[in-house]
Amino acid sequence: MAITTINDPITGDTNGRRYTPALIALAVLYFMMGFITCLNDTLVPFFKTGFTLNYAESSLVQFYFFLTYAVMSIPAGRIVEKVGYKRGMVFGFAIAGVGALLFFPAALLHQYALFLGALFVLAIGIVLLQVAANPYITLLGKPETASSRLTLIQGVGSIGTTVAPLFGAHFILSRLSESNASSDAVSIPYLAIGGVLFLIALLVSLLSLPKISNHVTRLSPTDGPAQRGIFSFRNLNFGLVGIFMYVGAEVAIGTFLTNYVADRLHIEEHRANNYVAFYWGGMLIGRLIGAMVLKSVKSPIVLRWVGGASVALIILSIVSSGYVAVWSMVGVGLCNAVMFAIIFSLSIQGLGAYTTRASGLLSSAIVGGAVIPYLQGLLIDRFDWGVSFCLPLICYLYIVYFAIDGFKTNQMNPT
């Protein structure tokens, strides 16, 4: 007798009033995740100057932040399975708050390694939030509209990613010329962020959120093997690589965009950092459009086109100069808008009670945000901008492959 697992509907009342607290909590959650993650793009050029680092060394900000996904995603998935989605979110906000507060002693001692440690702790909280929130959103409605739903709520997160570079340019990068600015300029902003995170943790703990439960259903002997390992699902396996590639490319571009723009346009870093806001702002616009498009167009088709557009824009940026090079690279942000939601949703499609474990694995693939930027930093130090951007180009080519042939409707196909 084959065994398969499916998800129950949300228990209890599921009318609009019951959804409202969940939507508010998720909107705030994604805003803060986007804001904190994108603020790293400001820290990279700031620490590069403040601590006199090369590109590879400055990219360690992203390396240690996203390394946490590889280390903590699977344990975070098990924590969420035990405590539930709501408590997982509360714990995530609280841990992230602790990491933000650790910026203060790091600033007092003016040690780059301590800042990296604080970012690692901060990222643990973000990982827990990711693992809890992503499947929660996909399970709040019909599987067919999961990509649209996740894209829409991530649009709120894009507001945070758009605001973060402007915040960073004004409060952090503008103080590059001051003595010890690499420490002092970040301590107060991150103390404020820590306080906000603790406040959100308290408020979420007081909310009444819809609950989701899993159960096991017996099917006919022809439906598959008696038990399936998590890696027997084709879409999940290809999706793991897809998430790795996508996050790596997205973060790599955002990480070095400030310096790339400064070099191409010959302007100061705090002015160049404003273009990063357009990069992430493009994702905000794209997600709002994508949420509507994905209701009527199949998600693999959308992924195929935005992936191809990203490839074309990077090539255009590499072979051009000046504002054409800058705006074509910034335009990749618009294409990025729906990629994560589509890859994630396609990867967990039909996994049932495997969903939480799969979410943990997919979140661990976000470690691409650590590996790809670091490798690109090495390429910049050794070669030039053109050669280095070939790396995210390869990542987007894989995403196009995933959309064309990697994803299969029938997961029983061999991997």
Side-chain angles (χ1 to χ4, degrees):
M1 182 70 71
I3 304 293
T4 187
T5 55
I6 62 175
N7 290 95
D8 281 339
I10 298 173
T11 59
D13 181 15
T14 58
N15 58 32
R17 288 174 296 176
R18 283 284 289 169
Y19 279 120
T20 301
L23 293 174
I24 292 174
L26 290 167
V28 173
L29 183 153
Y30 270 86
F31 177 89
M32 291 306 300
M33 284 198 304
F35 182 87
I36 292 170
T37 302
C38 190
L39 201 56
N40 290 345
D41 295 342
T42 298
L43 295 180
V44 170
F46 192 83
F47 287 144
K48 182 179 185 297
T49 299
F51 288 100
T52 317
L53 309 172
N54 61 30
Y55 284 104
E57 291 169 339
S58 65
S59 72
L60 290 177
V61 167
Q62 303 287 25
F63 183 84
Y64 281 98
F65 186 89
F66 286 96
L67 178 66
T68 315
Y69 284 90
V71 176
M72 288 301 301
S73 289
I74 295 176
R78 291 173 181 169
I79 291 172
V80 173
E81 283 182 336
K82 273 190 176 180
V83 305
Y85 294 109
K86 175 183 172 180
R87 288 184 178 177
M89 294 178 204
V90 173
F91 292 163
F93 278 120
I95 294 172
V98 172
L101 295 182
L102 288 176
F103 269 67
F104 184 71
L108 288 178
L109 297 172
H110 189 58
Q111 292 292 320
Y112 184 48
L114 294 180
F115 280 113
L116 297 178
L119 280 167
F120 189 83
V121 175
L122 178 61
I124 291 175
I126 300 298
V127 170
L128 196 52
L129 290 173
Q130 284 266 14
V131 173
N134 288 337
Y136 189 61
I137 294 171
T138 61
L139 298 174
L140 276 175
K142 296 179 180 179
E144 295 80 10
T145 58
S147 294
S148 174
R149 196 161 51 251
L150 185 54
T151 296
L152 182 60
I153 202 70
Q154 283 185 329
V156 179
S158 291
I159 299 175
T161 61
T162 304
V163 172
L166 301 176
F167 177 90
H170 181 73
F171 290 101
I172 300 177
L173 284 182
S174 62
R175 298 182 59 188
L176 266 176
S177 60
E178 299 177 18
S179 60
N180 292 328
S182 56
S183 292
D184 297 340
V186 295
S187 59
I188 294 177
Y190 274 87
L191 281 175
I193 291 171
V196 171
L197 290 170
F198 280 114
L199 178 60
I200 296 173
L202 175 62
L203 293 176
V204 172
S205 68
L206 299 176
L207 289 175
S208 177
L209 302 181
K211 295 181 180 179
I212 298 175
S213 61
N214 299 320
H215 71 275
V216 177
T217 302
R218 290 183 178 274
L219 300 178
S220 67
T222 60
D223 287 320
Q227 288 185 340
R228 298 188 65 178
I230 190 70
F231 291 108
S232 66
F233 295 97
R234 173 193 170 92
N235 295 341
L236 176 60
N237 293 335
F238 280 85
L240 285 168
V241 181
I243 292 292
F244 180 94
M245 294 292 194
Y246 162 70
V247 176
E250 176 200 69
V251 173
I253 294 174
T255 297
F256 299 113
L257 190 57
T258 297
N259 294 112
Y260 182 67
V261 172
D263 284 354
R264 285 290 185 265
L265 301 183
H266 307 291
I267 59 178
E268 296 176 338
E269 282 86 353
H270 73 274
R271 290 179 57 200
N273 200 60
N274 291 326
Y275 285 85
V276 182
F278 287 107
Y279 174 71
W280 295 108
M283 294 184 67
L284 169 60
I285 297 171
R287 280 169 175 168
L288 296 177
I289 297 173
M292 303 303 296
V293 172
L294 286 166
K295 290 182 178 180
S296 55
V297 182
K298 291 183 178 180
S299 53
I301 295 176
V302 175
L303 184 62
R304 189 182 311 168
W305 281 100
V306 296
S310 298
V311 171
L313 286 169
I314 292 177
I315 292 175
L316 176 60
S317 183
I318 291 174
V319 300
S320 59
S321 61
Y323 284 101
V324 174
V326 168
W327 284 110
S328 55
M329 192 64 72
V330 169
V332 178
L334 181 65
C335 302
N336 283 340
V338 296
M339 289 188 190
F340 183 90
I342 293 176
I343 298 171
F344 185 91
S345 299
L346 294 178
S347 299
I348 67 171
Q349 192 174 101
L351 295 190
Y354 287 90
T355 300
T356 302
R357 288 180 59 197
S359 176
L361 289 170
L362 288 166
S363 294
S364 68
I366 294 176
V367 72
V371 177
I372 301 300
Y374 181 73
L375 293 177
Q376 185 173 355
L378 292 175
L379 290 174
I380 298 170
D381 290 330
R382 181 162 185 150
F383 300 101
D384 57 22
W385 287 113
V387 173
S388 73
F389 275 114
C390 288
L391 185 56
L393 178 67
I394 293 171
C395 294
Y396 287 116
L397 285 172
Y398 176 84
I399 291 170
V400 174
Y401 165 74
F402 176 77
I404 295 174
D405 192 57
F407 170 77
K408 299 292 184 182
T409 303
N410 180 10
Q411 291 224 54
M412 295 303 294
N413 288 342
T415 58

